[in-house]
Amino acid sequence: MSMTFSHDHVGISVTPEDLDTTIQWYASKLGFVLDQRFESHGTTFVFIVNGDVKIELVAGASNRREAPTRDILTSMDPERLHHFCLAVEDLDATVSQLREGDVPLIGGPMDVPAIGQRIAFVTDNLGNIIELAEPGTPPAMITVR
């Protein structure tokens, strides 16, 4: 059986107290806009969008747990999603604009020859890691056996 998938959204857990601040951070720093906001089972769900990227903020977390994000190489924590990735057309211009907006850069920009891309890592207001990837030339396809 063969299955085909396309990406729909990334879900991020936030505390109810952090919800509005997080919506504002994504709007002011990354240009996301509010798409939907609704309550279900005592939890607020918010969808924010920018182009074809959709993020779901789930305001049901009971405690705030920020990841160690001073450096991308020391940010591995087996108890959390490590990062999600946003594609950008011009990595240097995007990083420059984000730095002007006081968005913390924790890795890169760097070349990754194995995937044929340049990448960088930033964090949102809650310490969630966001990878930024510039289109590149993918390496030759490798067959996994």
Side-chain angles (χ1 to χ4, degrees), residues 106-123:
I106 63 166
M110 64 186 92
D111 294 318
V112 184
I115 60 173
Q117 288 184 301
R118 292 186 67 238
I119 62 173
F121 294 88
V122 299
T123 59

Side-chain angles (χ1 to χ4, degrees), residues 70-123:
R70 288 180 295 282
D71 182 323
I72 191 63
L73 298 176
T74 61
S75 64
M76 306 302 173
D77 182 341
E79 296 182 9
R80 68 183 301 276
L81 171 73
H82 184 259
H83 71 276
F84 64 93
C85 182
L86 299 174
V88 299
E89 286 298 317
D90 183 333
L91 184 64
D92 293 324
T94 301
V95 166
S96 178
Q97 186 175 0
L98 292 174
R99 281 184 170 161
E100 289 173 10
D102 295 323
V103 175
L105 180 69
I106 63 166
M110 64 186 92
D111 294 318
V112 184
I115 60 173
Q117 288 184 301
R118 292 186 67 238
I119 62 173
F121 294 88
V122 299
T123 59

Side-chain angles (χ1 to χ4, degrees), residues 25-37:
W25 188 92
Y26 278 89
S28 66
K29 306 294 185 184
L30 301 182
F32 279 77
V33 296
L34 181 66
D35 183 49
Q36 271 187 293
R37 183 180 187 135

Side-chain angles (χ1 to χ4, degrees), residues 41-80:
H41 304 286
T43 301
T44 302
F45 296 85
V46 173
F47 285 94
I48 55 176
V49 297
N50 182 330
D52 62 356
V53 176
K54 182 172 23 173
I55 297 173
E56 177 184 21
L57 302 173
V58 182
S62 58
N63 60 13
R64 181 187 276 173
R65 184 172 170 269
E66 292 186 22
T69 56
R70 288 180 295 282
D71 182 323
I72 191 63
L73 298 176
T74 61
S75 64
M76 306 302 173
D77 182 341
E79 296 182 9
R80 68 183 301 276

